[in-house]
Amino acid sequence: MQHHKILVVEDEPTLSRLLSYNLTQEGYEAEVIDNGMEALQACMDQTFDLIILDVMLPGMSGFEVLEKLRKRGVKTPVIILTARNGEEEIVQGLKLGADDYVTKPFGVAELLARVSAVLRRVKGDADGGAKEENMIQLGDIRIYPDKYEVVLNDELIPMRPKEFEVLLYLVQHPGMVITRDELMNQVWGYDYIGGQRTVDVHVSSLRKKLELNQETVKIDSIRGVGYKLVVKQ
């Protein structure tokens, strides 16, 4: 069994001990750091399979750590820990390149499920080339559901997991108007407590990426309702 190495960046001692203990019990190797500067340095000095990053940190915030990591080319998956009702934090974290998030207070089981899901997706990306690839072609765009990859004009378009899942759901329902609620339920799950703004942010980002040098596939906004994928022949 592979031992995944996870960095926990959390300045609240009780929570960091709880996270470390439960991750270790699940068979992960956990390292805890309580401030942003040290966390950033640790990520530059060594390799982790996943980072659990609190947004509220002394000195350098979790957002600053995440932004600097992504600008320096560190692609390690990041799950951010945000405050209750912190939708603005969630949106900002996703824009900066977070892979997922958990809102405080949270159950340990929920966090461990998120950790497992993110690591499983990353492993799926790494293993994807070994088997016959599942692929959807739309004009100049190729979509690989098993690898969470989108290729436009032979160039890989970088996408966050939820952006890809939104695109895939729209692709599976071409020409149909999909409501924001339906997208939220299908992509984020029925128990998601965030608002529809999260959906809009993902679609807006997705739209910008899709409009790079192609006009075959568009995502239309249906005012007050949701979105529709339009494929021009």
Side-chain angles (χ1 to χ4, degrees), residues 151-192:
V151 176
L152 169 59
N153 297 325
D154 295 323
E155 284 193 26
L156 187 66
I157 303 176
M159 286 206 178
R160 297 193 300 265
K162 294 300 184 190
E163 285 176 352
F164 182 88
E165 289 169 23
V166 167
L167 174 62
L168 188 60
Y169 192 75
L170 291 172
V171 163
Q172 289 166 342
H173 301 83
M176 291 177 59
V177 178
I178 308 297
T179 67
R180 289 178 176 83
D181 281 343
E182 187 176 348
L183 275 174
M184 282 179 63
N185 293 336
Q186 294 295 328
V187 174
W188 282 268
Y190 286 90
D191 57 350
Y192 174 65

mmCIF file of all heavy atoms in Angstrom, residues 151-192:
data_model
loop_
_atom_site.group_PDB
_atom_site.id
_atom_site.type_symbol
_atom_site.label_atom_id
_atom_site.label_comp_id
_atom_site.label_asym_id
_atom_site.label_seq_id
_atom_site.Cartn_x
_atom_site.Cartn_y
_atom_site.Cartn_z
ATOM 1 N N VAL A 151 -8.488 18.945 -24.326
ATOM 2 C CA VAL A 151 -7.445 19.321 -25.278
ATOM 3 C C VAL A 151 -8.079 20.135 -26.400
ATOM 4 O O VAL A 151 -9.066 19.721 -27.001
ATOM 5 C CB VAL A 151 -6.739 18.073 -25.856
ATOM 6 C CG1 VAL A 151 -5.722 18.484 -26.919
ATOM 7 C CG2 VAL A 151 -6.065 17.277 -24.744
ATOM 8 N N LEU A 152 -7.518 21.315 -26.651
ATOM 9 C CA LEU A 152 -8.005 22.197 -27.714
ATOM 10 C C LEU A 152 -6.862 22.463 -28.677
ATOM 11 O O LEU A 152 -5.809 22.951 -28.276
ATOM 12 C CB LEU A 152 -8.522 23.511 -27.119
ATOM 13 C CG LEU A 152 -8.830 24.655 -28.087
ATOM 14 C CD1 LEU A 152 -9.882 24.235 -29.098
ATOM 15 C CD2 LEU A 152 -9.284 25.886 -27.328
ATOM 16 N N ASN A 153 -7.086 22.121 -29.956
ATOM 17 C CA ASN A 153 -6.034 22.306 -30.971
ATOM 18 C C ASN A 153 -4.709 21.701 -30.514
ATOM 19 O O ASN A 153 -3.641 22.314 -30.635
ATOM 20 C CB ASN A 153 -5.856 23.790 -31.291
ATOM 21 C CG ASN A 153 -7.111 24.401 -31.890
ATOM 22 O OD1 ASN A 153 -7.830 23.744 -32.642
ATOM 23 N ND2 ASN A 153 -7.392 25.637 -31.526
ATOM 24 N N ASP A 154 -4.788 20.496 -29.955
ATOM 25 C CA ASP A 154 -3.629 19.733 -29.484
ATOM 26 C C ASP A 154 -2.922 20.362 -28.286
ATOM 27 O O ASP A 154 -1.805 19.969 -27.957
ATOM 28 C CB ASP A 154 -2.612 19.521 -30.628
ATOM 29 C CG ASP A 154 -3.193 18.652 -31.731
ATOM 30 O OD1 ASP A 154 -3.941 17.705 -31.392
ATOM 31 O OD2 ASP A 154 -2.918 18.912 -32.909
ATOM 32 N N GLU A 155 -3.547 21.338 -27.645
ATOM 33 C CA GLU A 155 -2.986 21.921 -26.429
ATOM 34 C C GLU A 155 -3.880 21.614 -25.241
ATOM 35 O O GLU A 155 -5.094 21.793 -25.305
ATOM 36 C CB GLU A 155 -2.820 23.442 -26.572
ATOM 37 C CG GLU A 155 -1.635 23.847 -27.417
ATOM 38 C CD GLU A 155 -1.323 25.332 -27.285
ATOM 39 O OE1 GLU A 155 -1.649 25.922 -26.237
ATOM 40 O OE2 GLU A 155 -0.770 25.892 -28.238
ATOM 41 N N LEU A 156 -3.255 21.162 -24.147
ATOM 42 C CA LEU A 156 -4.005 20.832 -22.944
ATOM 43 C C LEU A 156 -4.497 22.108 -22.265
ATOM 44 O O LEU A 156 -3.725 23.043 -22.050
ATOM 45 C CB LEU A 156 -3.094 20.060 -21.977
ATOM 46 C CG LEU A 156 -3.750 19.475 -20.731
ATOM 47 C CD1 LEU A 156 -4.736 18.388 -21.089
ATOM 48 C CD2 LEU A 156 -2.671 18.920 -19.793
ATOM 49 N N ILE A 157 -5.797 22.178 -21.975
ATOM 50 C CA ILE A 157 -6.351 23.326 -21.273
ATOM 51 C C ILE A 157 -6.381 23.010 -19.782
ATOM 52 O O ILE A 157 -7.044 22.054 -19.369
ATOM 53 C CB ILE A 157 -7.791 23.636 -21.745
ATOM 54 C CG1 ILE A 157 -7.814 23.881 -23.257
ATOM 55 C CG2 ILE A 157 -8.356 24.849 -21.007
ATOM 56 C CD1 ILE A 157 -9.223 24.089 -23.805
ATOM 57 N N PRO A 158 -5.669 23.773 -18.939
ATOM 58 C CA PRO A 158 -5.679 23.487 -17.506
ATOM 59 C C PRO A 158 -7.057 23.718 -16.909
ATOM 60 O O PRO A 158 -7.681 24.761 -17.143
ATOM 61 C CB PRO A 158 -4.646 24.480 -16.937
ATOM 62 C CG PRO A 158 -4.565 25.578 -17.947
ATOM 63 C CD PRO A 158 -4.856 24.961 -19.274
ATOM 64 N N MET A 159 -7.552 22.737 -16.163
ATOM 65 C CA MET A 159 -8.878 22.851 -15.567
ATOM 66 C C MET A 159 -8.887 22.312 -14.152
ATOM 67 O O MET A 159 -8.238 21.312 -13.859
ATOM 68 C CB MET A 159 -9.904 22.061 -16.392
ATOM 69 C CG MET A 159 -10.268 22.714 -17.683
ATOM 70 S SD MET A 159 -11.913 22.242 -18.244
ATOM 71 C CE MET A 159 -11.981 23.242 -19.732
ATOM 72 N N ARG A 160 -9.650 22.985 -13.297
ATOM 73 C CA ARG A 160 -9.873 22.455 -11.959
ATOM 74 C C ARG A 160 -10.912 21.338 -12.060
ATOM 75 O O ARG A 160 -11.720 21.309 -12.992
ATOM 76 C CB ARG A 160 -10.365 23.549 -11.023
ATOM 77 C CG ARG A 160 -9.361 24.671 -10.835
ATOM 78 C CD ARG A 160 -9.757 25.548 -9.668
ATOM 79 N NE ARG A 160 -11.061 26.164 -9.851
ATOM 80 C CZ ARG A 160 -11.249 27.375 -10.340
ATOM 81 N NH1 ARG A 160 -10.215 28.106 -10.705
ATOM 82 N NH2 ARG A 160 -12.463 27.878 -10.462
ATOM 83 N N PRO A 161 -10.907 20.404 -11.111
ATOM 84 C CA PRO A 161 -11.835 19.267 -11.179
ATOM 85 C C PRO A 161 -13.296 19.663 -11.348
ATOM 86 O O PRO A 161 -14.011 19.084 -12.173
ATOM 87 C CB PRO A 161 -11.610 18.556 -9.837
ATOM 88 C CG PRO A 161 -10.218 18.902 -9.455
ATOM 89 C CD PRO A 161 -9.993 20.293 -9.954
ATOM 90 N N LYS A 162 -13.755 20.653 -10.583
ATOM 91 C CA LYS A 162 -15.164 21.023 -10.664
ATOM 92 C C LYS A 162 -15.487 21.698 -12.000
ATOM 93 O O LYS A 162 -16.589 21.542 -12.531
ATOM 94 C CB LYS A 162 -15.544 21.947 -9.504
ATOM 95 C CG LYS A 162 -15.474 21.283 -8.140
ATOM 96 C CD LYS A 162 -16.410 20.087 -8.032
ATOM 97 C CE LYS A 162 -16.402 19.494 -6.639
ATOM 98 N NZ LYS A 162 -17.117 18.203 -6.571
ATOM 99 N N GLU A 163 -14.539 22.457 -12.564
ATOM 100 C CA GLU A 163 -14.755 23.038 -13.893
ATOM 101 C C GLU A 163 -14.978 21.918 -14.903
ATOM 102 O O GLU A 163 -15.880 21.987 -15.743
ATOM 103 C CB GLU A 163 -13.542 23.869 -14.332
ATOM 104 C CG GLU A 163 -13.411 25.203 -13.655
ATOM 105 C CD GLU A 163 -12.140 25.940 -14.067
ATOM 106 O OE1 GLU A 163 -11.295 25.355 -14.768
ATOM 107 O OE2 GLU A 163 -12.011 27.093 -13.663
ATOM 108 N N PHE A 164 -14.131 20.893 -14.805
ATOM 109 C CA PHE A 164 -14.249 19.778 -15.746
ATOM 110 C C PHE A 164 -15.593 19.084 -15.589
ATOM 111 O O PHE A 164 -16.246 18.741 -16.574
ATOM 112 C CB PHE A 164 -13.106 18.775 -15.532
ATOM 113 C CG PHE A 164 -13.143 17.640 -16.510
ATOM 114 C CD1 PHE A 164 -12.509 17.743 -17.730
ATOM 115 C CD2 PHE A 164 -13.840 16.472 -16.216
ATOM 116 C CE1 PHE A 164 -12.568 16.710 -18.655
ATOM 117 C CE2 PHE A 164 -13.909 15.438 -17.128
ATOM 118 C CZ PHE A 164 -13.270 15.546 -18.352
ATOM 119 N N GLU A 165 -16.023 18.879 -14.338
ATOM 120 C CA GLU A 165 -17.279 18.174 -14.100
ATOM 121 C C GLU A 165 -18.478 18.977 -14.605
ATOM 122 O O GLU A 165 -19.453 18.412 -15.104
ATOM 123 C CB GLU A 165 -17.417 17.844 -12.617
ATOM 124 C CG GLU A 165 -16.447 16.748 -12.183
ATOM 125 C CD GLU A 165 -16.383 16.580 -10.675
ATOM 126 O OE1 GLU A 165 -17.339 16.967 -9.984
ATOM 127 O OE2 GLU A 165 -15.364 16.050 -10.185
ATOM 128 N N VAL A 166 -18.397 20.313 -14.475
ATOM 129 C CA VAL A 166 -19.449 21.170 -15.036
ATOM 130 C C VAL A 166 -19.487 21.010 -16.555
ATOM 131 O O VAL A 166 -20.556 20.824 -17.154
ATOM 132 C CB VAL A 166 -19.220 22.657 -14.657
ATOM 133 C CG1 VAL A 166 -20.112 23.564 -15.484
ATOM 134 C CG2 VAL A 166 -19.480 22.875 -13.168
ATOM 135 N N LEU A 167 -18.317 21.089 -17.187
ATOM 136 C CA LEU A 167 -18.245 20.945 -18.646
ATOM 137 C C LEU A 167 -18.787 19.589 -19.084
ATOM 138 O O LEU A 167 -19.590 19.502 -20.022
ATOM 139 C CB LEU A 167 -16.801 21.105 -19.122
ATOM 140 C CG LEU A 167 -16.563 20.839 -20.618
ATOM 141 C CD1 LEU A 167 -17.345 21.817 -21.472
ATOM 142 C CD2 LEU A 167 -15.074 20.912 -20.944
ATOM 143 N N LEU A 168 -18.367 18.528 -18.403
ATOM 144 C CA LEU A 168 -18.794 17.184 -18.787
ATOM 145 C C LEU A 168 -20.312 17.038 -18.685
ATOM 146 O O LEU A 168 -20.948 16.444 -19.564
ATOM 147 C CB LEU A 168 -18.098 16.147 -17.898
ATOM 148 C CG LEU A 168 -18.283 14.682 -18.302
ATOM 149 C CD1 LEU A 168 -17.748 14.443 -19.713
ATOM 150 C CD2 LEU A 168 -17.590 13.764 -17.310
ATOM 151 N N TYR A 169 -20.890 17.608 -17.639
ATOM 152 C CA TYR A 169 -22.346 17.507 -17.484
ATOM 153 C C TYR A 169 -23.071 18.259 -18.605
ATOM 154 O O TYR A 169 -24.061 17.770 -19.158
ATOM 155 C CB TYR A 169 -22.791 18.033 -16.117
ATOM 156 C CG TYR A 169 -24.224 17.684 -15.799
ATOM 157 C CD1 TYR A 169 -24.562 16.391 -15.425
ATOM 158 C CD2 TYR A 169 -25.237 18.631 -15.911
ATOM 159 C CE1 TYR A 169 -25.889 16.045 -15.161
ATOM 160 C CE2 TYR A 169 -26.565 18.293 -15.647
ATOM 161 C CZ TYR A 169 -26.874 17.005 -15.270
ATOM 162 O OH TYR A 169 -28.182 16.660 -15.013
ATOM 163 N N LEU A 170 -22.556 19.441 -18.957
ATOM 164 C CA LEU A 170 -23.154 20.205 -20.056
ATOM 165 C C LEU A 170 -22.992 19.463 -21.387
ATOM 166 O O LEU A 170 -23.915 19.438 -22.214
ATOM 167 C CB LEU A 170 -22.514 21.592 -20.147
ATOM 168 C CG LEU A 170 -22.836 22.558 -18.997
ATOM 169 C CD1 LEU A 170 -21.971 23.810 -19.117
ATOM 170 C CD2 LEU A 170 -24.312 22.936 -18.993
ATOM 171 N N VAL A 171 -21.826 18.861 -21.580
ATOM 172 C CA VAL A 171 -21.541 18.119 -22.809
ATOM 173 C C VAL A 171 -22.487 16.923 -22.945
ATOM 174 O O VAL A 171 -22.908 16.561 -24.049
ATOM 175 C CB VAL A 171 -20.070 17.637 -22.813
ATOM 176 C CG1 VAL A 171 -19.839 16.542 -23.846
ATOM 177 C CG2 VAL A 171 -19.146 18.819 -23.097
ATOM 178 N N GLN A 172 -22.820 16.318 -21.816
ATOM 179 C CA GLN A 172 -23.709 15.152 -21.838
ATOM 180 C C GLN A 172 -25.172 15.542 -22.088
ATOM 181 O O GLN A 172 -26.011 14.676 -22.306
ATOM 182 C CB GLN A 172 -23.585 14.378 -20.514
ATOM 183 C CG GLN A 172 -22.247 13.660 -20.386
ATOM 184 C CD GLN A 172 -21.967 13.183 -18.970
ATOM 185 O OE1 GLN A 172 -22.592 13.647 -18.010
ATOM 186 N NE2 GLN A 172 -21.020 12.269 -18.841
ATOM 187 N N HIS A 173 -25.453 16.861 -22.039
ATOM 188 C CA HIS A 173 -26.815 17.354 -22.292
ATOM 189 C C HIS A 173 -26.770 18.519 -23.289
ATOM 190 O O HIS A 173 -27.211 19.629 -22.979
ATOM 191 C CB HIS A 173 -27.465 17.807 -20.976
ATOM 192 C CG HIS A 173 -27.542 16.722 -19.952
ATOM 193 N ND1 HIS A 173 -26.481 16.408 -19.123
ATOM 194 C CD2 HIS A 173 -28.545 15.870 -19.625
ATOM 195 C CE1 HIS A 173 -26.843 15.408 -18.328
ATOM 196 N NE2 HIS A 173 -28.077 15.066 -18.610
ATOM 197 N N PRO A 174 -26.230 18.303 -24.495
ATOM 198 C CA PRO A 174 -26.061 19.397 -25.462
ATOM 199 C C PRO A 174 -27.401 19.994 -25.875
ATOM 200 O O PRO A 174 -28.375 19.269 -26.105
ATOM 201 C CB PRO A 174 -25.367 18.722 -26.652
ATOM 202 C CG PRO A 174 -25.744 17.283 -26.547
ATOM 203 C CD PRO A 174 -25.842 17.002 -25.069
ATOM 204 N N GLY A 175 -27.441 21.327 -25.920
ATOM 205 C CA GLY A 175 -28.647 22.012 -26.359
ATOM 206 C C GLY A 175 -29.735 22.126 -25.312
ATOM 207 O O GLY A 175 -30.735 22.806 -25.525
ATOM 208 N N MET A 176 -29.542 21.472 -24.178
ATOM 209 C CA MET A 176 -30.543 21.534 -23.104
ATOM 210 C C MET A 176 -30.190 22.653 -22.131
ATOM 211 O O MET A 176 -29.012 22.894 -21.856
ATOM 212 C CB MET A 176 -30.599 20.206 -22.340
ATOM 213 C CG MET A 176 -31.164 19.053 -23.135
ATOM 214 S SD MET A 176 -31.122 17.501 -22.197
ATOM 215 C CE MET A 176 -32.122 17.931 -20.764
ATOM 216 N N VAL A 177 -31.192 23.337 -21.624
ATOM 217 C CA VAL A 177 -30.960 24.362 -20.608
ATOM 218 C C VAL A 177 -30.827 23.664 -19.253
ATOM 219 O O VAL A 177 -31.743 22.969 -18.814
ATOM 220 C CB VAL A 177 -32.110 25.384 -20.568
ATOM 221 C CG1 VAL A 177 -31.863 26.397 -19.464
ATOM 222 C CG2 VAL A 177 -32.234 26.081 -21.914
ATOM 223 N N ILE A 178 -29.675 23.834 -18.631
ATOM 224 C CA ILE A 178 -29.404 23.218 -17.331
ATOM 225 C C ILE A 178 -29.459 24.308 -16.269
ATOM 226 O O ILE A 178 -28.739 25.312 -16.360
ATOM 227 C CB ILE A 178 -28.018 22.536 -17.308
ATOM 228 C CG1 ILE A 178 -27.859 21.566 -18.487
ATOM 229 C CG2 ILE A 178 -27.788 21.837 -15.978
ATOM 230 C CD1 ILE A 178 -28.815 20.410 -18.483
ATOM 231 N N THR A 179 -30.310 24.132 -15.280
ATOM 232 C CA THR A 179 -30.433 25.151 -14.243
ATOM 233 C C THR A 179 -29.217 25.138 -13.319
ATOM 234 O O THR A 179 -28.501 24.132 -13.219
ATOM 235 C CB THR A 179 -31.696 24.922 -13.387
ATOM 236 O OG1 THR A 179 -31.537 23.707 -12.628
ATOM 237 C CG2 THR A 179 -32.939 24.825 -14.254
ATOM 238 N N ARG A 180 -29.014 26.257 -12.631
ATOM 239 C CA ARG A 180 -27.917 26.332 -11.660
ATOM 240 C C ARG A 180 -28.102 25.278 -10.567
ATOM 241 O O ARG A 180 -27.142 24.666 -10.121
ATOM 242 C CB ARG A 180 -27.852 27.724 -11.050
ATOM 243 C CG ARG A 180 -27.359 28.797 -11.995
ATOM 244 C CD ARG A 180 -27.375 30.161 -11.315
ATOM 245 N NE ARG A 180 -26.809 31.188 -12.169
ATOM 246 C CZ ARG A 180 -27.493 31.809 -13.122
ATOM 247 N NH1 ARG A 180 -28.755 31.472 -13.345
ATOM 248 N NH2 ARG A 180 -26.922 32.746 -13.854
ATOM 249 N N ASP A 181 -29.346 25.106 -10.128
ATOM 250 C CA ASP A 181 -29.612 24.112 -9.082
ATOM 251 C C ASP A 181 -29.223 22.712 -9.538
ATOM 252 O O ASP A 181 -28.653 21.933 -8.766
ATOM 253 C CB ASP A 181 -31.103 24.122 -8.701
ATOM 254 C CG ASP A 181 -31.446 25.264 -7.763
ATOM 255 O OD1 ASP A 181 -30.508 25.837 -7.160
ATOM 256 O OD2 ASP A 181 -32.636 25.589 -7.629
ATOM 257 N N GLU A 182 -29.540 22.387 -10.790
ATOM 258 C CA GLU A 182 -29.200 21.062 -11.297
ATOM 259 C C GLU A 182 -27.694 20.869 -11.351
ATOM 260 O O GLU A 182 -27.169 19.811 -10.971
ATOM 261 C CB GLU A 182 -29.808 20.862 -12.691
ATOM 262 C CG GLU A 182 -29.634 19.445 -13.227
ATOM 263 C CD GLU A 182 -30.327 19.231 -14.559
ATOM 264 O OE1 GLU A 182 -31.134 20.104 -14.962
ATOM 265 O OE2 GLU A 182 -30.055 18.195 -15.195
ATOM 266 N N LEU A 183 -26.978 21.898 -11.805
ATOM 267 C CA LEU A 183 -25.515 21.814 -11.837
ATOM 268 C C LEU A 183 -24.946 21.661 -10.433
ATOM 269 O O LEU A 183 -24.034 20.855 -10.201
ATOM 270 C CB LEU A 183 -24.919 23.059 -12.502
ATOM 271 C CG LEU A 183 -24.830 23.042 -14.034
ATOM 272 C CD1 LEU A 183 -24.367 24.400 -14.545
ATOM 273 C CD2 LEU A 183 -23.891 21.941 -14.514
ATOM 274 N N MET A 184 -25.475 22.431 -9.485
ATOM 275 C CA MET A 184 -25.000 22.329 -8.107
ATOM 276 C C MET A 184 -25.214 20.925 -7.556
ATOM 277 O O MET A 184 -24.314 20.331 -6.948
ATOM 278 C CB MET A 184 -25.730 23.345 -7.213
ATOM 279 C CG MET A 184 -25.212 24.758 -7.335
ATOM 280 S SD MET A 184 -26.121 25.912 -6.284
ATOM 281 C CE MET A 184 -25.748 25.262 -4.682
ATOM 282 N N ASN A 185 -26.406 20.370 -7.790
ATOM 283 C CA ASN A 185 -26.713 19.044 -7.267
ATOM 284 C C ASN A 185 -25.864 17.956 -7.914
ATOM 285 O O ASN A 185 -25.391 17.040 -7.240
ATOM 286 C CB ASN A 185 -28.199 18.721 -7.468
ATOM 287 C CG ASN A 185 -29.104 19.601 -6.627
ATOM 288 O OD1 ASN A 185 -28.669 20.128 -5.600
ATOM 289 N ND2 ASN A 185 -30.338 19.772 -7.059
ATOM 290 N N GLN A 186 -25.664 18.063 -9.227
ATOM 291 C CA GLN A 186 -24.926 17.031 -9.949
ATOM 292 C C GLN A 186 -23.419 17.099 -9.713
ATOM 293 O O GLN A 186 -22.749 16.073 -9.643
ATOM 294 C CB GLN A 186 -25.207 17.135 -11.461
ATOM 295 C CG GLN A 186 -26.637 16.829 -11.840
ATOM 296 C CD GLN A 186 -27.029 15.388 -11.551
ATOM 297 O OE1 GLN A 186 -26.209 14.486 -11.617
ATOM 298 N NE2 GLN A 186 -28.298 15.186 -11.208
ATOM 299 N N VAL A 187 -22.893 18.313 -9.600
ATOM 300 C CA VAL A 187 -21.431 18.480 -9.496
ATOM 301 C C VAL A 187 -20.964 18.602 -8.043
ATOM 302 O O VAL A 187 -19.965 18.012 -7.652
ATOM 303 C CB VAL A 187 -20.972 19.706 -10.322
ATOM 304 C CG1 VAL A 187 -19.489 19.971 -10.115
ATOM 305 C CG2 VAL A 187 -21.275 19.486 -11.809
ATOM 306 N N TRP A 188 -21.705 19.377 -7.247
ATOM 307 C CA TRP A 188 -21.285 19.599 -5.854
ATOM 308 C C TRP A 188 -22.005 18.697 -4.856
ATOM 309 O O TRP A 188 -21.567 18.525 -3.742
ATOM 310 C CB TRP A 188 -21.481 21.070 -5.467
ATOM 311 C CG TRP A 188 -20.414 21.950 -5.999
ATOM 312 C CD1 TRP A 188 -19.249 22.310 -5.360
ATOM 313 C CD2 TRP A 188 -20.367 22.591 -7.280
ATOM 314 N NE1 TRP A 188 -18.502 23.127 -6.178
ATOM 315 C CE2 TRP A 188 -19.159 23.322 -7.368
ATOM 316 C CE3 TRP A 188 -21.244 22.620 -8.369
ATOM 317 C CZ2 TRP A 188 -18.803 24.064 -8.481
ATOM 318 C CZ3 TRP A 188 -20.875 23.360 -9.482
ATOM 319 C CH2 TRP A 188 -19.674 24.069 -9.543
ATOM 320 N N GLY A 189 -23.138 18.142 -5.267
ATOM 321 C CA GLY A 189 -23.887 17.251 -4.390
ATOM 322 C C GLY A 189 -25.045 17.955 -3.708
ATOM 323 O O GLY A 189 -25.051 19.169 -3.523
ATOM 324 N N TYR A 190 -26.030 17.170 -3.323
ATOM 325 C CA TYR A 190 -27.256 17.724 -2.745
ATOM 326 C C TYR A 190 -27.024 18.359 -1.377
ATOM 327 O O TYR A 190 -27.805 19.192 -0.930
ATOM 328 C CB TYR A 190 -28.325 16.629 -2.616
ATOM 329 C CG TYR A 190 -28.925 16.255 -3.942
ATOM 330 C CD1 TYR A 190 -28.371 15.230 -4.710
ATOM 331 C CD2 TYR A 190 -30.024 16.929 -4.451
ATOM 332 C CE1 TYR A 190 -28.909 14.883 -5.934
ATOM 333 C CE2 TYR A 190 -30.572 16.598 -5.684
ATOM 334 C CZ TYR A 190 -30.006 15.573 -6.425
ATOM 335 O OH TYR A 190 -30.537 15.251 -7.648
ATOM 336 N N ASP A 191 -25.946 17.944 -0.694
ATOM 337 C CA ASP A 191 -25.694 18.471 0.652
ATOM 338 C C ASP A 191 -24.802 19.707 0.637
ATOM 339 O O ASP A 191 -24.397 20.215 1.672
ATOM 340 C CB ASP A 191 -25.064 17.397 1.544
ATOM 341 C CG ASP A 191 -23.765 16.839 0.956
ATOM 342 O OD1 ASP A 191 -23.472 17.145 -0.219
ATOM 343 O OD2 ASP A 191 -23.067 16.097 1.667
ATOM 344 N N TYR A 192 -24.488 20.217 -0.563
ATOM 345 C CA TYR A 192 -23.627 21.402 -0.664
ATOM 346 C C TYR A 192 -24.359 22.627 -0.117
ATOM 347 O O TYR A 192 -25.502 22.893 -0.484
ATOM 348 C CB TYR A 192 -23.244 21.623 -2.134
ATOM 349 C CG TYR A 192 -22.473 22.887 -2.375
ATOM 350 C CD1 TYR A 192 -21.198 23.054 -1.840
ATOM 351 C CD2 TYR A 192 -23.013 23.938 -3.124
ATOM 352 C CE1 TYR A 192 -20.486 24.215 -2.059
ATOM 353 C CE2 TYR A 192 -22.307 25.102 -3.341
ATOM 354 C CZ TYR A 192 -21.042 25.229 -2.811
ATOM 355 O OH TYR A 192 -20.343 26.389 -3.021
#
